Amino acid sequence: MIKAVRSLGQNFLIDPLIISAIIGVINPVPDDTILEIGPGLGAWTAPLLASGADVIAIEKDRRLIPMLQKQFPKLHLIEGDILEILLDDILPDGNKCKVVGNLPYKITTPILTHLLSKNHLFSSFTLMVQKEVAQRITATPGTPHMGTLSYFIHRFAEAKMIFTIPKRASSPEPKVDSALVQIKLRQNNRQYHKDVFNLVKIAYGQRRKMLRSSLKRIIPPQQIENLLARLSLPGTARPQDLSLEHFDLICQQRELQSQKLENLLENV
Ligand code: SAM
């Protein structure tokens, strides 16, 4: 019997009805290439392989590797850390991959940003995450949960909350409920633009402040007000009042000094 390790976010999904509902949402078919993050004891892996899809799984816990290898001879299993693996090296060229997994909660945001920085490799992500994180992932501009993570997601994809999953569906029980989210990547993705992301990160780092105050170390307040006026926004606007395009336009209109931003980010 393998003892769950909290630092690896090991809450294994045990409810067969929920597992089968999740597989229904993923809808694996034989032509699919699927990347599973953290297969754990194989609750998702078994039905994914049974569909005939090609499944690549990355598992950090080396105790689980022999069992997974034995149980799933067809699985392409990689022992390692999803955040350190060079995704271009392990995924096949040509076939965009579906990413799935019940994510270790503590590293959900780094995993998502890691995946999104390589968004051209993927068609969708179907992920079980903390319910509160699911709300942030699916938030839209102008709504209370909107933040840097939502911005990252919406730049590249459409995200939907599919259903919530109660704590009792996992063992050991996590402290909070979860949810399944599906994130569908747009085909003509915009480039990952570092300056815009840095700007969003600084603005949402002080989300309750007006932009003329939170951005004042990189853009003088009067200039921010002029930029906002050109976008028909009030000088008192806060980050949640801006759409994704507004941030793009601010970045284009103002020559942001990347180096200065980088230094500032260390203090955000
Ligand atoms: N998929 C299984 C399930 O639903 O029962 C396990 C999910 S459990 C919430 C998270 C899994 O991710 C664990 O198997 C854990 O060992 C693995 N894991 C944790 N951190 C990881 C990382 N950085 N890279 C890859 N796998 C990781």
Side-chain angles (χ1 to χ4, degrees):
M1 184 65 188
I2 299 231
K3 195 166 179 290
V5 177
R6 189 193 278 239
S7 63
L8 288 172
Q10 291 183 339
N11 302 100
F12 301 111
L13 191 59
I14 49 166
D15 184 320
L17 287 179
I18 292 179
I19 295 168
S20 109
I22 291 172
I23 300 301
V25 173
I26 297 169
N27 186 25
V29 293
D31 279 345
D32 280 342
T33 302
I34 297 183
L35 172 66
E36 186 183 9
I37 300 171
L41 304 174
W44 298 31
T45 322
L48 290 172
L49 284 167
S51 72
D54 203 15
V55 184
I56 301 165
I58 301 174
E59 176 53 64
K60 188 172 177 184
D61 186 350
R62 74 162 52 133
R63 299 172 310 156
L64 301 174
I65 302 296
M67 178 277 290
L68 288 166
Q69 277 168 334
K70 190 164 171 227
Q71 199 179 343
F72 305 115
K74 286 200 174 150
L75 178 67
H76 304 281
L77 181 62
I78 299 168
E79 181 193 332
D81 184 332
I82 176 68
L83 297 174
E84 285 171 12
I85 299 251
L86 297 175
L87 296 166
D88 302 88
D89 289 354
I90 59 155
L91 298 175
D93 285 336
N95 197 8
K96 287 199 182 196
C97 179
K98 289 180 173 172
V99 180
V100 307
N102 176 4
L103 298 187
Y105 291 161
K106 279 191 196 146
I107 53 169
T108 301
T109 301
I111 291 177
L112 279 168
T113 43
H114 183 53
L115 295 173
L116 286 170
S117 70
K118 295 282 171 199
N119 61 81
H120 59 280
L121 297 171
F122 310 113
S123 59
S124 66
F125 310 150
T126 307
L127 305 170
M128 180 168 157
V129 298
Q130 264 181 302
K131 192 172 149 193
E132 190 228 350
V133 176
Q135 285 165 338
R136 286 202 276 131
I137 288 174
T138 55
T140 47
T143 60
H145 295 289
M146 182 76 188
T148 315
L149 182 61
S150 339
Y151 181 88
F152 269 81
I153 302 282
H154 285 278
R155 190 168 176 85
F156 299 110
E158 317 280 342
K160 261 196 203 158
M161 169 106 76
I162 310 291
F163 50 74
T164 53
I165 301 170
K167 295 177 233 182
R168 63 170 185 280
S170 299
S171 173
E173 273 192 25
K175 290 203 176 75
V176 290
D177 289 334
S178 303
L180 189 75
V181 288
Q182 191 161 54
I183 300 168
K184 291 201 170 160
L185 281 292
R186 288 194 207 95
Q187 285 314 302
N188 288 321
N189 279 330
R190 285 175 275 187
Q191 288 293 307
Y192 180 92
H193 194 313
K194 210 169 167 196
D195 284 348
V196 185
F197 285 112
N198 286 343
L199 186 69
V200 172
K201 213 165 167 181
I202 293 175
Y204 274 104
Q206 295 179 291
R207 54 183 302 136
R208 284 182 221 291
K209 285 202 177 167
M210 292 179 218
L211 293 166
R212 66 181 180 209
S213 156
S214 58
L215 298 180
K216 72 177 178 223
R217 284 185 297 165
I218 45 170
I219 312 177
Q222 188 54 52
Q223 202 177 340
I224 297 176
E225 286 189 26
N226 293 343
L227 289 171
L228 292 170
R230 266 189 255 163
L231 299 172
S232 308
L233 290 163
T236 53
R238 293 180 165 78
Q240 52 273 35
D241 299 323
L242 272 63
S243 68
L244 314 185
E245 288 70 27
H246 286 144
F247 278 107
D248 284 353
L249 289 167
I250 289 189
C251 223
Q252 279 164 22
Q253 290 184 42
R254 154 89 193 147
E255 272 181 41
L256 288 168
Q257 297 156 353
S258 303
Q259 198 51 49
K260 199 171 169 193
L261 274 169
E262 301 265 298
N263 297 341
L264 281 169
L265 274 172
E266 286 168 19
N267 306 317
V268 170

